[in-house]
Amino acid sequence: MLSKPGNKKDKFKEAFADAAASSFQTVYPDVYDKVGNNEVFNPEFIYEHLEKPKDPKMGRFALPVFRFTKLLAAKPQDIAQAVAGAMTIPEHVPITVEVAGGFINAKVDFSALAEESLVKILSLQKEYGTEDIGEGKTVIVEYSSVNIAKPFGIAHLRTTILGNSLRLILKKLGYNVIGMNYLGDWGTQFGKMIVAYRKWGNDIDLSDNPIEKLLELYVRFHEEARTNPELDDEARKTFKALESGDPETVDLWKRFKDMSLADYLKVYEQLGVEFDVITGESFLNDKMESLIERLEKAGLTSVSKGALIVDLHDPQLPPCLLKKADGATLYATRDIVGAFWRWEEYHFDEALYVVANSQSDHFKQVFKVIAMLEEAEQIPEQERIANRLKHVDFGWVKFGDKTMSTRSGNIIYLTDVINKAVTLARKKIREKNPGLQTIDKTAEMIGIGAVLFSQMSVRRLKDVNFIWEDVLNFEGETGPYLQYTHARLCSLLRNYDGEITSNPDVSLLHGEEEERIVELLADFPGAIRDAARNYDPYFIAMHLIKLAGAFNRFYQRKTPEGRIDKIISDDAPLTRARIALVRAVQVVINEGLRLLGIKAPEEM
Ligand code: ARG
């Protein structure tokens, strides 16, 4: 991956951390003797513990000292005073240090910051924020993982969107990323589906709208099985036949799978979601027995009511079910096998499972079984995978006040949601800009952008409340707002007929609004890193909202006489500097939207 000099660490923060660490040594020599190069005496520790003040006016970053009171046996204010007082910042580093309570705040000279960020963005363009911290590391991001022969419903919306964005974010940081779709294409439900099809579906034409028809059959199966339990037995037998490769059953299953996949691929294309690998549970079928043997040999299995289980010896977790009494394997069995397969295939440093938090216990069980097996087999530490597996969980999506679930027949189809979003977006654009040439294309971008952004506009563990008026609002914390701001930036750039300089005179950008913009531009690489560290695109989403807000305040600013302070004016040097700022904001919003998987229109 690309490695751009100076794009790694914030050099102001680095200088601050160095100065603070040696100041701690000066002020607290006795503690330093005891703990050595640890804690506050270590610049890297300080660097990692710098925070952003809530009020940007307090400074660009701050070191809170509260957590060190015990170590240093002093009050926070006293620590902050003493350490700030003894800090020597090298002359060429344009930061000043101030104390506020238990914080040491650092302010960065505006021109220096503008030089650092603006000039870098204008020369690196969309490579700004690109890093190599992930170089040589492989990460599997599994997402979407829809269940075949079922509609692509709203329940799989968030995993699809979060995972797609995480894939892009980690790539940006230099990781070797494998975006994986692990289709739910195996399990007893296919026994049910096949039984239903054979009984009631033979003369149904599946060629148009196959998924809906399969769903109808599936729902009917459940209804009839309530009064006719023999159906369930038949379904179990049919799944066994599928597992052991009975050609007719496999053929039918394959037909269902191909038809479903063709349908999903259309949705992915519309959403702009991509994968590096599409695999599925069925693929693991022939790898199950050897894993079960391994578990048995390690002495981890036992039989309970005819079923094969692993007791996890954890009061919080029920035993992990490997095989039902009839010999059929389960979802968890396949995930255990799948993790080892992924390891053999990719030797990942980390494997992420972007799956709703309703499956938390499932992943705890799976990871625990793997850890127990590796322990029992005494696999060397560096070849163990249990600690490399991570469930990236997230909250529900609530439509109105109904919580969505695909377990029942009443599913909200994702295509319906997309179509509605595009229709509503088209209506809005027509009102705002009736003359727009590319209205259909733009409406598609905006409608889909709205749906995508809605899934990342709250932290992933929080539930999303999907309200149509909110997600399509051109003024709230929404995708359309960012897209609209991007189009506005592009329009300014189109209206400017000079050349865009990559070395603007930053002394002309000295307003409060400009300063805020510059700070946010400088913090964009940090937002990308935060998103990666927390496995949450939310950090980029919110950073863009702030940047767009700062830019729009600048755009709408009035002169003391009450006129709009126009960005493009007769003052050529001023216009040149401002246009450079506009360009930098446009580059960052464009790249930020790309990382969220959202298209950035140039006009709307
Ligand atoms: N297909 C499953 C479902 O829709 C999700 C699969 C999640 N991934 C996994 N490795 N278990 O519920």
Side-chain angles (χ1 to χ4, degrees), residues 142 145 147 156 182 184 331 335 342 353 355 359 362-363:
E142 188 221 292
S145 302
N147 299 321
H156 287 88
Y182 174 70
Y331 180 49
D335 257 330
R342 289 177 198 190
Y353 297 80
V355 183
Q359 296 197 21
H362 164 75
F363 284 106

Side-chain angles (χ1 to χ4, degrees), residues 210-347:
I211 295 191
E212 205 164 330
K213 286 174 186 155
L214 289 175
L215 179 70
E216 275 166 26
L217 287 172
Y218 190 65
V219 171
R220 177 158 173 201
F221 179 95
H222 278 272
E223 274 163 10
E224 304 226 358
R226 244 182 276 151
T227 50
N228 180 6
E230 271 162 33
L231 278 175
D232 278 320
D233 282 339
E234 220 180 310
R236 261 193 291 277
K237 281 197 202 107
T238 307
F239 179 56
K240 279 301 291 175
L242 185 61
E243 275 199 310
S244 44
D246 169 61
E248 255 176 68
T249 316
V250 171
D251 264 4
L252 205 48
W253 166 81
K254 207 167 169 306
R255 247 181 88 202
F256 294 168
K257 176 164 171 165
D258 292 344
M259 287 186 301
S260 317
L261 195 55
D263 226 57
Y264 306 148
L265 290 178
K266 278 185 237 153
V267 179
Y268 291 135
E269 178 161 357
Q270 213 182 0
L271 290 175
V273 165
E274 291 180 351
F275 301 93
D276 303 295
V277 180
I278 297 185
T279 172
E281 295 179 38
S282 63
F283 170 74
L284 303 164
N285 189 33
D286 62 359
K287 301 172 178 56
M288 308 288 262
E289 271 319 308
S290 63
L291 171 91
I292 290 177
E293 274 165 29
R294 262 175 83 183
L295 287 164
E296 281 173 336
K297 214 162 139 205
L300 296 174
T301 57
S302 51
V303 176
S304 162
K305 295 186 194 131
L308 192 68
I309 63 162
V310 177
D311 187 339
L312 301 175
H313 304 291
D314 180 338
Q316 312 288 337
L317 288 175
C320 182
L321 214 53
L322 296 174
K323 244 187 195 181
K324 292 200 240 175
D326 65 6
T329 59
L330 287 117
Y331 180 49
T333 332
R334 292 188 281 281
D335 257 330
I336 299 166
V337 175
F340 286 114
W341 174 78
R342 289 177 198 190
W343 169 249
E344 271 150 37
E345 193 72 16
Y346 299 104
H347 278 88

Side-chain angles (χ1 to χ4, degrees), residues 346-494:
Y346 299 104
H347 278 88
F348 53 79
D349 292 274
E350 211 169 2
L352 310 179
Y353 297 80
V354 184
V355 183
N357 57 14
S358 54
Q359 296 197 21
S360 288
D361 277 354
H362 164 75
F363 284 106
K364 281 191 196 133
Q365 289 178 305
V366 167
F367 298 169
K368 182 85 191 275
V369 172
I370 293 172
M372 286 166 74
L373 182 60
E374 293 185 321
E375 183 61 36
E377 291 182 337
Q378 297 190 341
I379 306 243
E381 205 57 55
Q382 66 280 10
E383 281 164 39
R384 292 194 187 187
I385 65 168
N387 289 330
R388 302 170 191 242
L389 308 172
K390 180 163 174 64
H391 178 202
V392 175
D393 52 349
F394 54 84
W396 284 100
V397 180
K398 292 179 196 154
F399 256 73
D401 53 2
K402 268 188 284 156
T403 300
M404 299 302 141
S405 156
T406 58
R407 297 290 167 207
S408 65
N410 49 2
I411 295 172
I412 297 195
Y413 287 58
L414 195 49
T415 26
D416 294 346
V417 172
I418 295 173
N419 290 342
K420 179 165 176 180
V422 172
T423 308
L424 290 172
R426 188 181 296 115
K427 217 173 118 206
K428 281 206 150 183
I429 299 167
R430 208 169 265 142
E431 281 161 21
K432 261 185 135 69
N433 186 0
L436 185 67
Q437 293 284 318
T438 53
I439 192 148
D440 284 336
K441 224 179 102 210
T442 311
E444 178 104 3
M445 277 196 224
I446 306 306
I448 290 173
V451 173
L452 294 172
F453 193 87
S454 72
Q455 302 303 306
M456 301 179 276
S457 61
V458 296
R459 299 268 325 234
R460 71 176 153 81
L461 284 166
K462 284 199 187 159
D463 295 346
V464 169
N465 242 330
F466 193 100
I467 298 167
W468 284 106
E469 299 82 82
D470 290 356
V471 302
L472 276 157
N473 195 333
F474 282 32
E475 260 124 54
E477 295 184 353
T478 66
Y481 171 64
L482 292 176
Q483 292 172 309
Y484 190 61
T485 305
H486 183 264
R488 173 176 276 172
L489 289 154
C490 290
S491 144
L492 277 166
L493 295 170
R494 275 196 300 275

Side-chain angles (χ1 to χ4, degrees), residues 132-180:
D132 59 5
I133 50 178
E135 203 174 79
K137 297 207 182 91
T138 296
V139 182
I140 299 179
V141 186
E142 188 221 292
Y143 52 101
S144 200
S145 302
V146 282
N147 299 321
I148 67 158
K150 292 253 186 92
F152 198 148
I154 188 88
H156 287 88
L157 176 62
R158 210 166 176 200
T159 163
T160 305
I161 290 171
L162 286 177
N164 184 59
S165 173
L166 284 175
R167 169 179 176 268
L168 296 167
I169 292 166
L170 293 170
K171 280 197 174 188
K172 173 98 177 159
L173 296 182
Y175 291 91
N176 172 33
V177 188
I178 292 132
M180 183 181 283

